[in-house]
Amino acid sequence: QQELRTQALGRQLFFFAELSSTNDLLKDMVRQGREHGTVVIARRQTTGHGRMQRAWESPEGGLWLSLLLKPRLSLGDAAKLTLSTGVALAQTLQDLYGLAAGIKWPNDVVVQGRKIAGILGEVAGEWTTVQTLILGIGVNANFSGQTFSSKLPATTLQDILGYEVNLNHLAAQLLFNLEKEVQSLEQGDVQGLIQRWTSFAVGINQPVRIERAGTVYAGIFKGIREDGELILDLEGQEMTFSSGEVSLRAG
Ligand code: BTX
């Protein structure tokens, strides 16, 4: 906590040796009226979640962190915070370790083509007056990817750097970068966010295949719209796709 350089993010910080999922605990804590910026970190998770009921492997040595946000944003803009988180994560891996981290749409953070971090944004409670958002962030840090129970196209900081990183530095820099992103979105700079996201995006202007409801669309990945939808150029005709409905492959 001494390392924090943020105004709000991480100023309330709860640390556990083991949890089922930091997101689940923080969702429970929302009911106790926790404030904007509250962070929960666990050394390991027994049942970490990915998106769409997928499991997230969370052995000791990773950074497993959840953050409570009550941003001053419209509903539509609050949904962009997962994009902001991807940018903050990729920026942090670049700042601290000089890594060429990329973002694979919608929000996998990859290094050398392998997933090194994941983001799970969840809505907690009411989206009416105060919107409360839980951002779950997992970074594969100080363990070897060989310890994954399944063979994943994943990697870890240890595998890439060959040394153990300081998890406190990592968390502090991540929260610092993310706070800047949240503030810039609150100031209405959606364009800046899209630009920064695009600068990290993997595969821009390259051929991709997208599968939606059994149909495969092959085209050029042009970028994302302000609402986060992917833009695909099919021989001059643009189509957009939302992250929930499709899977994306290099093509
Ligand atoms: P996702 O749905 O994009 O990724 C889940 C998929 O990624 C899994 O189905 C599996 O194939 C693969 N996978 C599982 N574990 C790992 C891992 N450690 N590294 C790389 N690939 C993996 C991404 O979901 C969102 C992950 C968020 C995790 C954080 S950790 C703190 C917080 N608490 C919690 O329960 N979830 C979040």
Side-chain angles (χ1 to χ4, degrees), residues 145-166:
Q146 287 163 3
T147 60
F148 284 126
S149 62
S150 51
K151 203 165 172 291
L152 296 170
T155 191
T156 71
L157 286 173
Q158 184 181 300
D159 284 348
I160 287 180
L161 300 170
Y163 59 84
E164 295 204 352
V165 302
N166 181 317

PDB file of all heavy atoms in Angstrom, residues 145-166:
ATOM      1  N   GLY A 145       3.993 -21.392 -16.732  1.00  0.00           N
ATOM      2  CA  GLY A 145       2.799 -21.790 -17.470  1.00  0.00           C
ATOM      3  C   GLY A 145       2.641 -23.296 -17.558  1.00  0.00           C
ATOM      4  O   GLY A 145       1.553 -23.798 -17.822  1.00  0.00           O
ATOM      5  N   GLN A 146       3.745 -23.991 -17.292  1.00  0.00           N
ATOM      6  CA  GLN A 146       3.657 -25.459 -17.327  1.00  0.00           C
ATOM      7  C   GLN A 146       2.839 -26.011 -16.176  1.00  0.00           C
ATOM      8  O   GLN A 146       2.455 -27.181 -16.200  1.00  0.00           O
ATOM      9  CB  GLN A 146       5.067 -26.060 -17.293  1.00  0.00           C
ATOM     10  CG  GLN A 146       5.780 -25.872 -18.620  1.00  0.00           C
ATOM     11  CD  GLN A 146       7.286 -26.065 -18.509  1.00  0.00           C
ATOM     12  OE1 GLN A 146       7.802 -26.399 -17.451  1.00  0.00           O
ATOM     13  NE2 GLN A 146       7.979 -25.835 -19.594  1.00  0.00           N
ATOM     14  N   THR A 147       2.581 -25.178 -15.164  1.00  0.00           N
ATOM     15  CA  THR A 147       1.773 -25.667 -14.054  1.00  0.00           C
ATOM     16  C   THR A 147       0.281 -25.613 -14.345  1.00  0.00           C
ATOM     17  O   THR A 147      -0.525 -26.064 -13.543  1.00  0.00           O
ATOM     18  CB  THR A 147       2.040 -24.868 -12.763  1.00  0.00           C
ATOM     19  OG1 THR A 147       1.704 -23.505 -13.025  1.00  0.00           O
ATOM     20  CG2 THR A 147       3.492 -24.931 -12.332  1.00  0.00           C
ATOM     21  N   PHE A 148      -0.122 -25.053 -15.490  1.00  0.00           N
ATOM     22  CA  PHE A 148      -1.548 -25.059 -15.825  1.00  0.00           C
ATOM     23  C   PHE A 148      -2.023 -26.499 -15.969  1.00  0.00           C
ATOM     24  O   PHE A 148      -1.325 -27.342 -16.548  1.00  0.00           O
ATOM     25  CB  PHE A 148      -1.812 -24.338 -17.147  1.00  0.00           C
ATOM     26  CG  PHE A 148      -1.744 -22.848 -17.041  1.00  0.00           C
ATOM     27  CD1 PHE A 148      -0.919 -22.115 -17.875  1.00  0.00           C
ATOM     28  CD2 PHE A 148      -2.523 -22.168 -16.113  1.00  0.00           C
ATOM     29  CE1 PHE A 148      -0.850 -20.734 -17.785  1.00  0.00           C
ATOM     30  CE2 PHE A 148      -2.461 -20.784 -16.017  1.00  0.00           C
ATOM     31  CZ  PHE A 148      -1.625 -20.079 -16.852  1.00  0.00           C
ATOM     32  N   SER A 149      -3.204 -26.765 -15.476  1.00  0.00           N
ATOM     33  CA  SER A 149      -3.691 -28.145 -15.503  1.00  0.00           C
ATOM     34  C   SER A 149      -3.991 -28.583 -16.932  1.00  0.00           C
ATOM     35  O   SER A 149      -3.809 -29.730 -17.295  1.00  0.00           O
ATOM     36  CB  SER A 149      -4.937 -28.272 -14.636  1.00  0.00           C
ATOM     37  OG  SER A 149      -5.948 -27.443 -15.156  1.00  0.00           O
ATOM     38  N   SER A 150      -4.448 -27.653 -17.764  1.00  0.00           N
ATOM     39  CA  SER A 150      -4.700 -28.002 -19.159  1.00  0.00           C
ATOM     40  C   SER A 150      -3.638 -27.327 -20.018  1.00  0.00           C
ATOM     41  O   SER A 150      -2.934 -26.430 -19.561  1.00  0.00           O
ATOM     42  CB  SER A 150      -6.080 -27.501 -19.559  1.00  0.00           C
ATOM     43  OG  SER A 150      -6.208 -26.158 -19.207  1.00  0.00           O
ATOM     44  N   LYS A 151      -3.550 -27.740 -21.246  1.00  0.00           N
ATOM     45  CA  LYS A 151      -2.574 -27.126 -22.130  1.00  0.00           C
ATOM     46  C   LYS A 151      -3.205 -25.868 -22.734  1.00  0.00           C
ATOM     47  O   LYS A 151      -4.011 -25.935 -23.647  1.00  0.00           O
ATOM     48  CB  LYS A 151      -2.188 -28.123 -23.230  1.00  0.00           C
ATOM     49  CG  LYS A 151      -0.842 -27.817 -23.828  1.00  0.00           C
ATOM     50  CD  LYS A 151      -0.324 -29.005 -24.633  1.00  0.00           C
ATOM     51  CE  LYS A 151       0.931 -28.654 -25.400  1.00  0.00           C
ATOM     52  NZ  LYS A 151       0.688 -27.708 -26.499  1.00  0.00           N
ATOM     53  N   LEU A 152      -2.855 -24.716 -22.173  1.00  0.00           N
ATOM     54  CA  LEU A 152      -3.475 -23.470 -22.607  1.00  0.00           C
ATOM     55  C   LEU A 152      -2.508 -22.702 -23.498  1.00  0.00           C
ATOM     56  O   LEU A 152      -1.300 -22.773 -23.301  1.00  0.00           O
ATOM     57  CB  LEU A 152      -3.797 -22.592 -21.395  1.00  0.00           C
ATOM     58  CG  LEU A 152      -4.822 -23.119 -20.410  1.00  0.00           C
ATOM     59  CD1 LEU A 152      -4.838 -22.254 -19.173  1.00  0.00           C
ATOM     60  CD2 LEU A 152      -6.188 -23.144 -21.061  1.00  0.00           C
ATOM     61  N   PRO A 153      -3.040 -21.949 -24.458  1.00  0.00           N
ATOM     62  CA  PRO A 153      -2.158 -21.051 -25.212  1.00  0.00           C
ATOM     63  C   PRO A 153      -1.872 -19.812 -24.363  1.00  0.00           C
ATOM     64  O   PRO A 153      -2.251 -18.704 -24.685  1.00  0.00           O
ATOM     65  CB  PRO A 153      -2.989 -20.704 -26.448  1.00  0.00           C
ATOM     66  CG  PRO A 153      -4.404 -20.879 -26.003  1.00  0.00           C
ATOM     67  CD  PRO A 153      -4.427 -21.871 -24.885  1.00  0.00           C
ATOM     68  N   ALA A 154      -1.227 -20.068 -23.229  1.00  0.00           N
ATOM     69  CA  ALA A 154      -1.026 -19.002 -22.247  1.00  0.00           C
ATOM     70  C   ALA A 154       0.448 -18.918 -21.888  1.00  0.00           C
ATOM     71  O   ALA A 154       1.222 -19.826 -22.153  1.00  0.00           O
ATOM     72  CB  ALA A 154      -1.844 -19.296 -20.994  1.00  0.00           C
ATOM     73  N   THR A 155       0.809 -17.794 -21.270  1.00  0.00           N
ATOM     74  CA  THR A 155       2.176 -17.665 -20.791  1.00  0.00           C
ATOM     75  C   THR A 155       2.166 -16.892 -19.482  1.00  0.00           C
ATOM     76  O   THR A 155       1.101 -16.460 -19.013  1.00  0.00           O
ATOM     77  CB  THR A 155       3.071 -16.976 -21.853  1.00  0.00           C
ATOM     78  OG1 THR A 155       4.421 -17.092 -21.457  1.00  0.00           O
ATOM     79  CG2 THR A 155       2.707 -15.515 -22.048  1.00  0.00           C
ATOM     80  N   THR A 156       3.325 -16.759 -18.879  1.00  0.00           N
ATOM     81  CA  THR A 156       3.427 -16.038 -17.609  1.00  0.00           C
ATOM     82  C   THR A 156       4.623 -15.078 -17.680  1.00  0.00           C
ATOM     83  O   THR A 156       5.523 -15.252 -18.498  1.00  0.00           O
ATOM     84  CB  THR A 156       3.648 -17.008 -16.426  1.00  0.00           C
ATOM     85  OG1 THR A 156       4.976 -17.544 -16.514  1.00  0.00           O
ATOM     86  CG2 THR A 156       2.642 -18.159 -16.435  1.00  0.00           C
ATOM     87  N   LEU A 157       4.619 -14.096 -16.799  1.00  0.00           N
ATOM     88  CA  LEU A 157       5.750 -13.160 -16.764  1.00  0.00           C
ATOM     89  C   LEU A 157       7.040 -13.906 -16.459  1.00  0.00           C
ATOM     90  O   LEU A 157       8.081 -13.630 -17.056  1.00  0.00           O
ATOM     91  CB  LEU A 157       5.497 -12.071 -15.706  1.00  0.00           C
ATOM     92  CG  LEU A 157       4.454 -11.013 -16.073  1.00  0.00           C
ATOM     93  CD1 LEU A 157       4.176 -10.104 -14.891  1.00  0.00           C
ATOM     94  CD2 LEU A 157       4.932 -10.192 -17.281  1.00  0.00           C
ATOM     95  N   GLN A 158       6.956 -14.876 -15.558  1.00  0.00           N
ATOM     96  CA  GLN A 158       8.158 -15.637 -15.202  1.00  0.00           C
ATOM     97  C   GLN A 158       8.716 -16.372 -16.418  1.00  0.00           C
ATOM     98  O   GLN A 158       9.926 -16.384 -16.640  1.00  0.00           O
ATOM     99  CB  GLN A 158       7.816 -16.626 -14.088  1.00  0.00           C
ATOM    100  CG  GLN A 158       9.007 -17.400 -13.572  1.00  0.00           C
ATOM    101  CD  GLN A 158       8.595 -18.390 -12.492  1.00  0.00           C
ATOM    102  OE1 GLN A 158       8.056 -18.010 -11.450  1.00  0.00           O
ATOM    103  NE2 GLN A 158       8.828 -19.658 -12.748  1.00  0.00           N
ATOM    104  N   ASP A 159       7.831 -16.996 -17.197  1.00  0.00           N
ATOM    105  CA  ASP A 159       8.286 -17.721 -18.387  1.00  0.00           C
ATOM    106  C   ASP A 159       8.987 -16.775 -19.359  1.00  0.00           C
ATOM    107  O   ASP A 159       9.957 -17.139 -20.007  1.00  0.00           O
ATOM    108  CB  ASP A 159       7.105 -18.379 -19.118  1.00  0.00           C
ATOM    109  CG  ASP A 159       6.617 -19.629 -18.395  1.00  0.00           C
ATOM    110  OD1 ASP A 159       7.322 -20.101 -17.482  1.00  0.00           O
ATOM    111  OD2 ASP A 159       5.521 -20.113 -18.746  1.00  0.00           O
ATOM    112  N   ILE A 160       8.465 -15.558 -19.479  1.00  0.00           N
ATOM    113  CA  ILE A 160       8.998 -14.637 -20.475  1.00  0.00           C
ATOM    114  C   ILE A 160      10.227 -13.890 -19.974  1.00  0.00           C
ATOM    115  O   ILE A 160      11.209 -13.748 -20.695  1.00  0.00           O
ATOM    116  CB  ILE A 160       7.904 -13.644 -20.905  1.00  0.00           C
ATOM    117  CG1 ILE A 160       6.915 -14.415 -21.780  1.00  0.00           C
ATOM    118  CG2 ILE A 160       8.473 -12.453 -21.642  1.00  0.00           C
ATOM    119  CD1 ILE A 160       5.789 -13.605 -22.275  1.00  0.00           C
ATOM    120  N   LEU A 161      10.165 -13.440 -18.715  1.00  0.00           N
ATOM    121  CA  LEU A 161      11.258 -12.611 -18.211  1.00  0.00           C
ATOM    122  C   LEU A 161      12.380 -13.443 -17.594  1.00  0.00           C
ATOM    123  O   LEU A 161      13.523 -12.992 -17.541  1.00  0.00           O
ATOM    124  CB  LEU A 161      10.719 -11.634 -17.150  1.00  0.00           C
ATOM    125  CG  LEU A 161       9.633 -10.658 -17.610  1.00  0.00           C
ATOM    126  CD1 LEU A 161       9.043  -9.936 -16.404  1.00  0.00           C
ATOM    127  CD2 LEU A 161      10.201  -9.652 -18.600  1.00  0.00           C
ATOM    128  N   GLY A 162      12.027 -14.614 -17.076  1.00  0.00           N
ATOM    129  CA  GLY A 162      13.032 -15.451 -16.436  1.00  0.00           C
ATOM    130  C   GLY A 162      13.351 -15.025 -15.012  1.00  0.00           C
ATOM    131  O   GLY A 162      14.321 -15.494 -14.431  1.00  0.00           O
ATOM    132  N   TYR A 163      12.568 -14.120 -14.460  1.00  0.00           N
ATOM    133  CA  TYR A 163      12.743 -13.784 -13.045  1.00  0.00           C
ATOM    134  C   TYR A 163      11.383 -13.503 -12.419  1.00  0.00           C
ATOM    135  O   TYR A 163      10.394 -13.365 -13.131  1.00  0.00           O
ATOM    136  CB  TYR A 163      13.683 -12.582 -12.873  1.00  0.00           C
ATOM    137  CG  TYR A 163      13.224 -11.304 -13.558  1.00  0.00           C
ATOM    138  CD1 TYR A 163      12.322 -10.428 -12.951  1.00  0.00           C
ATOM    139  CD2 TYR A 163      13.721 -10.966 -14.817  1.00  0.00           C
ATOM    140  CE1 TYR A 163      11.920  -9.254 -13.576  1.00  0.00           C
ATOM    141  CE2 TYR A 163      13.320  -9.794 -15.453  1.00  0.00           C
ATOM    142  CZ  TYR A 163      12.419  -8.944 -14.825  1.00  0.00           C
ATOM    143  OH  TYR A 163      12.024  -7.792 -15.449  1.00  0.00           O
ATOM    144  N   GLU A 164      11.362 -13.457 -11.078  1.00  0.00           N
ATOM    145  CA  GLU A 164      10.098 -13.179 -10.391  1.00  0.00           C
ATOM    146  C   GLU A 164       9.908 -11.671 -10.260  1.00  0.00           C
ATOM    147  O   GLU A 164      10.844 -10.947  -9.944  1.00  0.00           O
ATOM    148  CB  GLU A 164      10.097 -13.817  -9.004  1.00  0.00           C
ATOM    149  CG  GLU A 164      10.132 -15.331  -9.068  1.00  0.00           C
ATOM    150  CD  GLU A 164       9.556 -15.996  -7.830  1.00  0.00           C
ATOM    151  OE1 GLU A 164       9.257 -15.293  -6.841  1.00  0.00           O
ATOM    152  OE2 GLU A 164       9.400 -17.233  -7.875  1.00  0.00           O
ATOM    153  N   VAL A 165       8.704 -11.237 -10.528  1.00  0.00           N
ATOM    154  CA  VAL A 165       8.430  -9.801 -10.430  1.00  0.00           C
ATOM    155  C   VAL A 165       7.874  -9.489  -9.047  1.00  0.00           C
ATOM    156  O   VAL A 165       7.403 -10.377  -8.329  1.00  0.00           O
ATOM    157  CB  VAL A 165       7.419  -9.346 -11.517  1.00  0.00           C
ATOM    158  CG1 VAL A 165       7.950  -9.682 -12.900  1.00  0.00           C
ATOM    159  CG2 VAL A 165       6.045  -9.940 -11.279  1.00  0.00           C
ATOM    160  N   ASN A 166       7.920  -8.212  -8.687  1.00  0.00           N
ATOM    161  CA  ASN A 166       7.354  -7.759  -7.417  1.00  0.00           C
ATOM    162  C   ASN A 166       5.861  -7.487  -7.621  1.00  0.00           C
ATOM    163  O   ASN A 166       5.480  -6.571  -8.343  1.00  0.00           O
ATOM    164  CB  ASN A 166       8.107  -6.498  -6.989  1.00  0.00           C
ATOM    165  CG  ASN A 166       7.609  -5.969  -5.658  1.00  0.00           C
ATOM    166  OD1 ASN A 166       6.409  -5.914  -5.407  1.00  0.00           O
ATOM    167  ND2 ASN A 166       8.546  -5.577  -4.811  1.00  0.00           N
TER     168      ASN A 166
END
